[in-house]
Amino acid sequence: MSRRAFICLVAGLAALGGGTAQAQQNPSFNLLNRSEREIMVINVSPNTDRIWGEDRLGVATLPAGHYLPIRLRSGQCRNDIRVIYADGTHEERRNLNTCSVTDVTFDGSQAEPGSRRGSNTEPSPRRARGQQSQQGQPALRIVNHSGRAIQAVHATPDTVSSWGSSLIRGRIRDGANQQISLPRGSCIYDIRVVFTDRSDDQRRSVNLCTEQEQIFE
């Protein structure tokens, strides 16, 4: 073998090895919902972060039996992953090397109540355990004076760690209003509306037994 041919062979092998190494550093994966519950929130953060990242679902949900591709920047291999189910429980995977897997499955078998890590995607802060909430008959009327249509409304007792499903079907157009019935029980609610431009407006610890009309401008 000539010197030139040998150099070309070595360069080719190096390039191949580099491509393999680069492929092994791909942290993206498919998140599979193998539970019997709908997933409302998906957070993925580098395991060095102290708070959860953005909600990967936005205003969407991940039904049972479905999956969602999670795209991460190259090299972000060690990640913490959390899902919040429709019943408010959460399930986590900590310090997972997503560069070495294709699928990450959540089946609900390790689900726990509440949340153990801060997030900018969930209602907070919560009352201390054992602290009683005012009880009564809450109700909610959403009045839209925002100049935009509202496409989702979430209202949950302020002890619940997930927003849950939207309480409206369709949209509330600008200038319109909609009455929302709530079950008898806790009066203190966190409220979130999502507009058609995907921005949102949140209100914390509102007494919906006495402040039932909420105007969004």
Side-chain angles (χ1 to χ4, degrees):
M1 178 184 297
S2 69
R3 177 180 175 83
R4 182 175 181 179
F6 177 76
I7 292 174
C8 290
L9 177 61
V10 171
L13 290 174
L16 180 60
T20 302
Q22 185 176 5
Q24 292 174 344
Q25 292 299 305
N26 180 7
S28 299
F29 61 93
N30 294 319
L31 191 148
L32 284 65
N33 183 3
R34 292 290 182 261
S35 74
E36 297 180 352
R37 290 164 284 182
E38 192 174 21
I39 291 176
M40 313 305 296
V41 176
I42 296 175
N43 306 116
V44 181
S45 301
N47 73 316
T48 54
D49 285 3
R50 298 184 63 184
I51 63 172
W52 290 109
E54 64 179 354
D55 178 10
R56 299 273 172 163
L57 286 172
V59 298
T61 63
L62 185 64
H66 290 65
Y67 74 92
L68 178 73
I70 303 294
R71 302 299 177 225
L72 302 173
R73 63 178 179 270
S74 178
Q76 182 185 321
C77 291
R78 290 287 176 180
N79 293 288
D80 293 339
I81 308 166
R82 177 183 70 167
V83 302
I84 299 177
Y85 296 103
D87 61 1
T89 60
H90 75 278
E91 190 171 7
E92 300 177 6
R93 302 285 185 272
R94 296 296 186 117
N95 197 27
L96 182 65
N97 184 355
T98 60
C99 290
S100 64
V101 299
T102 302
D103 300 325
V104 178
T105 300
F106 286 85
D107 59 11
S109 62
Q110 301 178 44
E112 300 179 5
S115 175
R116 297 178 298 171
R117 187 174 179 181
S119 172
N120 57 4
T121 60
E122 66 183 40
S124 63
R126 299 297 168 194
R127 289 191 301 271
R129 179 176 294 181
Q131 185 176 352
Q132 295 298 312
S133 169
Q134 179 180 341
Q135 302 291 299
Q137 181 58 68
L140 175 61
R141 177 179 293 277
I142 298 293
V143 181
N144 185 10
H145 291 325
S146 67
R148 299 160 289 174
I150 294 173
Q151 67 178 11
V153 175
H154 305 275
T156 60
D158 70 343
T159 53
V160 177
S161 62
S162 170
W163 284 116
S165 302
S166 174
L167 300 178
I168 63 171
R169 294 181 177 230
R171 299 177 177 180
I172 305 175
R173 68 182 186 277
D174 180 42
N177 65 83
Q178 185 167 330
Q179 181 74 28
I180 296 172
S181 298
L182 298 171
R184 182 173 180 81
S186 174
C187 291
I188 310 303
Y189 272 70
D190 291 334
I191 305 166
R192 178 188 184 221
V193 301
V194 181
F195 300 100
T196 49
D197 61 3
R198 299 184 71 84
S199 64
D200 70 346
D201 192 352
Q202 301 179 18
R203 298 178 183 179
R204 310 291 186 178
S205 300
V206 179
N207 188 333
L208 290 184
C209 292
T210 60
E211 305 172 57
Q212 297 181 349
E213 183 172 275
Q214 296 295 310
I215 301 172
F216 290 86
E217 298 178 328

